Amino acid sequence: MKTKKTDWLMVLSYILLSTIGLLMIYSASSFRLLTIGAQPSALFKRQLIFLVLSWGLILLLQRVRVQVLLGRSLALGLIGFGVLTLLLAHVPFFGVTVNGAQRWVAIAGLQFQPSEIVNVGMILYLAHFFKAPKASLQEMKKPFVLLVVCCLLILFQPKVAGVFILLLLAFTMITTVQIPVKVTALLFGGLVLMMGCVGGLILLLGQHNLLPTMFAHVYNRIRLVGNPFSDPYGQGFQMIHSYYALFNGGLSGLGLGNSITKKGFLPVAETDFIFSVLVEEMGLIFGIFVIGLLFTIIMRLFMRSATCQDNQVGLILLGTATLLLMQTSINIASILGLMPMTGVPLPFISYGGSSYFILSFAFGLCLKLAREEVEQYAIVQTA
């Protein structure tokens, strides 16, 4: 076995992003918490706990045998737990409804989104399944059925953006494997057709007030793309004030803690709109620096994936890089008004302990696999 040194550029980028995220969570949430009589540092402390746990997990992963990390049990365990919690999201005792959506599950006081677990679980499952190329559609029945089930469960939370991310993630990984062109074409055609049908159906039904209530917010967000000022006190309120925050920041920003829009104009600014607050306080130049840190991790993962000798490891690196790229792109595009608001967090920056923990697990796993480049792995075969 030959090994390579730890990719310290990725590690440094991850640490800087985590630290910046902590500071911005405190800045974005402290005023709102103070106005409701809570401790200004409450969310900061909660995120700090998850940060410490996540860093501990990353260190632990570096000591776990590669055979265990690439084994079938871990992949099936994660995807199975993800599907189970997606089902629990609709059970009153476990499911948590926020703003009309049942996207969260609460277990033992911990609240998280099952779709985030499914994303990482799907990466590991597809990487294990396609470690050897599949030659026919019949062989791909299992992952296809599993993907459809997961997408339907996420769709009815409802979380359309989650379905979009999962489909693109799976499509990227599957078409990267050396499978026949015919299979790739069928998969691509099916994906485009499915997404086109869903989007067209939402617009058609929404225009005629026939859209189910659970999907009404999707139509409103699509309708306001590019012109949130048509509904300044309703659906466009957050987007408009996100624009104001970006404009206020200029190149150098108003200074850490000096955001205006976080004071009641951007509800829960520490989650979806944290990048708007970051630019308002620290400026556009610093915002570009943060995006650069994210893309440093993403591009390093893509590069290591392209040169990896083991197909399964390469697919895990590719899947994680794709997941981070999509979440980053969707979050930034949303606050810029280039696409509807989706509720997708900015990786390692937005508030959300479980999201940070799950992405950190994927990052730590990739760090371990990228550090150990081998010609052959003794994969543990399980029934």
Side-chain angles (χ1 to χ4, degrees):
M1 176 183 296
K2 56 180 181 178
T3 62
K4 282 192 174 183
K5 295 181 180 179
T6 299
D7 193 328
W8 290 109
L9 184 58
M10 281 205 304
V11 173
L12 179 60
S13 299
Y14 169 78
I15 292 174
L16 285 174
L17 285 168
S18 301
T19 304
I20 292 169
L22 266 180
L23 291 174
M24 293 312 305
I25 287 169
Y26 177 76
S27 178
S29 64
S30 56
F31 180 85
R32 178 177 64 84
L33 293 175
L34 194 61
T35 58
I36 62 175
Q39 279 192 345
S41 60
L43 297 187
F44 169 84
K45 291 178 180 177
R46 190 175 301 174
Q47 188 77 1
L48 179 60
I49 291 173
F50 278 97
L51 184 144
V52 172
L53 291 174
S54 299
W55 289 14
L57 175 63
I58 290 174
L59 292 175
L60 179 63
L61 286 172
Q62 308 314 302
R63 304 185 65 85
V64 178
R65 289 187 304 137
V66 173
Q67 291 87 347
V68 175
L69 298 176
L70 297 182
R72 186 165 173 257
S73 297
L74 179 61
L76 289 179
L78 269 179
I79 198 72
F81 181 72
V83 171
L84 175 63
T85 49
L86 280 173
L87 292 170
L88 288 177
H90 298 280
V91 177
F93 182 75
F94 295 100
V96 178
T97 301
V98 179
N99 295 328
Q102 286 185 296
R103 302 175 184 174
W104 290 264
V105 170
I107 298 178
L110 177 63
Q111 188 171 306
F112 59 92
Q113 289 196 52
S115 60
E116 295 169 343
I117 298 174
V118 169
N119 288 335
V120 176
M122 189 63 71
I123 290 172
L124 297 184
Y125 175 78
L126 292 178
H128 186 275
F129 188 86
F130 288 106
K131 60 184 178 181
K134 306 301 178 183
S136 67
L137 286 173
Q138 183 66 24
E139 290 180 282
M140 297 176 62
K141 183 183 295 184
K142 288 182 180 179
F144 179 76
V145 171
L146 181 61
L147 181 62
V148 170
V149 169
C150 290
C151 285
L152 289 175
L153 290 174
I154 295 172
L155 181 64
F156 285 100
Q157 288 186 325
K159 189 177 183 181
V160 176
V163 176
F164 178 74
I165 289 174
L166 189 58
L167 285 175
L168 284 182
L169 178 64
F171 177 78
T172 301
M173 293 183 66
I174 292 172
T175 54
T176 301
V177 185
Q178 296 176 359
I179 58 177
V181 176
K182 177 183 176 181
V183 177
T184 302
L186 287 173
L187 286 170
F188 181 76
L191 177 62
V192 172
L193 180 62
M194 182 185 301
M195 292 172 61
C197 289
V198 171
L201 188 62
I202 289 174
L203 288 174
L204 178 64
L205 295 178
Q207 290 173 354
H208 294 85
N209 296 319
L210 298 175
L211 196 66
T213 304
M214 66 187 304
F215 294 113
H217 69 288
V218 179
Y219 169 71
N220 289 326
R221 290 176 179 178
I222 294 176
R223 178 175 57 86
L224 290 172
V225 171
N227 186 25
F229 293 91
S230 62
D231 189 11
Y233 300 106
Q235 295 292 326
F237 182 82
Q238 285 183 304
M239 182 60 67
I240 290 172
H241 287 281
S242 174
Y243 289 166
Y244 290 156
L246 296 172
F247 176 80
N248 291 340
L251 290 177
S252 57
L254 302 177
L256 184 63
N258 294 330
S259 169
I260 299 170
T261 53
K262 71 181 181 183
K263 297 177 180 178
F265 299 103
L266 283 176
V268 200
E270 66 273 9
T271 55
D272 301 347
F273 291 94
I274 196 167
F275 189 75
S276 299
V277 177
L278 184 148
V279 171
E280 184 179 17
E281 295 188 349
M282 307 302 292
L284 178 61
I285 295 175
F286 190 79
I288 294 174
F289 171 71
V290 169
I291 295 175
L293 291 175
L294 282 164
F295 273 87
T296 296
I297 295 176
I298 292 167
M299 293 311 299
R300 293 294 293 175
L301 288 174
F302 276 133
M303 291 168 60
R304 297 300 290 267
S305 172
T307 59
C308 191
Q309 297 177 0
D310 185 278
N311 198 39
Q312 184 178 0
V313 173
L315 284 173
I316 291 175
L317 300 181
L318 173 70
T320 304
T322 303
L323 177 60
L324 292 174
L325 176 61
M326 286 191 294
Q327 288 199 359
T328 300
S329 301
I330 290 173
N331 181 274
I332 301 298
S334 296
I335 68 169
L336 292 177
L338 301 177
M339 65 180 296
M341 284 306 305
T342 58
V344 175
L346 187 62
F348 309 124
I349 299 291
S350 295
Y351 172 73
S354 60
S355 175
Y356 180 87
F357 186 82
I358 293 165
L359 288 179
S360 294
F361 166 78
F363 173 80
L365 178 61
C366 289
L367 199 65
K368 165 73 172 180
L369 297 177
R371 186 169 60 86
E372 299 195 24
E373 183 185 1
V374 296
E375 295 185 3
Q376 289 185 344
Y377 287 111
I379 306 298
V380 176
Q381 299 294 332
T382 57

